[in-house]
Amino acid sequence: MLPSRLAYATQFLVALIAIFVLWGQVGGQGHLDAMPWYLKLFLGCGAAFAIVKATAAADSKENPWNGRTLKWIGLLLVLLICCGLASYYYHLYEEDEEQNQDDGISSALIVERCTAGLPGYFVWTRLARQ
């Protein structure tokens, strides 16, 4: 009994890594980073748990494609679709930092040598818009 529990725990950890790598590659890492942690925790751990439960259900009976296995695979597909929908939502509605900045406007910093003050000192002058 203990080796199978150890195998399922190892499968959970490997599945968790695989899900987040796949989610970052398919859905985009920037969108994944913009999501709140609890959404990623629920969807990622739920999908990894469904993978382990589907494996355990397939291992428990003589026929691996039984009703319990199909139920967990169906739940896994629902969770993966939710992962895709969450990525799509954050793709559409996340604030784009580049759009918030004005295009073509930059600030410049000009160094002038101070003639009235002590020799060797510089005055930093900032031009607001260029």
Side-chain angles (χ1 to χ4, degrees):
M1 189 68 168
L2 183 62
S4 64
R5 287 184 183 175
L6 183 62
Y8 291 143
T10 304
Q11 182 187 16
F12 177 79
L13 294 175
V14 170
L16 194 63
I17 293 169
I19 286 168
F20 281 112
V21 168
L22 178 72
W23 195 359
Q25 292 292 318
V26 173
Q29 189 64 41
H31 305 309
L32 187 61
D33 291 340
M35 286 183 209
W37 65 269
Y38 51 85
L39 184 63
K40 293 184 278 191
L41 177 72
F42 174 73
L43 292 174
C45 288
F49 183 73
I51 289 171
V52 172
K53 290 299 279 188
T55 303
D59 191 34
S60 66
K61 298 197 178 186
E62 189 172 314
N63 183 14
W65 293 106
N66 53 45
R68 286 183 26 213
T69 304
L70 294 176
K71 176 185 80 167
W72 284 108
I73 289 176
L75 182 64
L76 172 66
L77 290 175
V78 167
L79 287 169
L80 292 177
I81 289 170
C82 288
C83 290
L85 290 174
S87 294
Y88 184 66
Y89 176 82
Y90 280 94
H91 171 73
L92 291 178
Y93 295 110
E94 74 176 331
E95 289 188 24
D96 196 10
E97 294 176 4
E98 294 173 1
Q99 290 180 353
N100 291 340
Q101 297 175 356
D102 295 328
D103 292 335
I105 298 174
S106 63
S107 60
L109 194 61
I110 297 178
V111 178
E112 297 175 357
R113 184 151 186 133
C114 185
T115 57
L118 298 172
Y121 283 91
F122 294 95
V123 175
W124 299 91
T125 308
R126 180 173 297 277
L127 296 176
R129 301 198 187 265
Q130 194 176 30

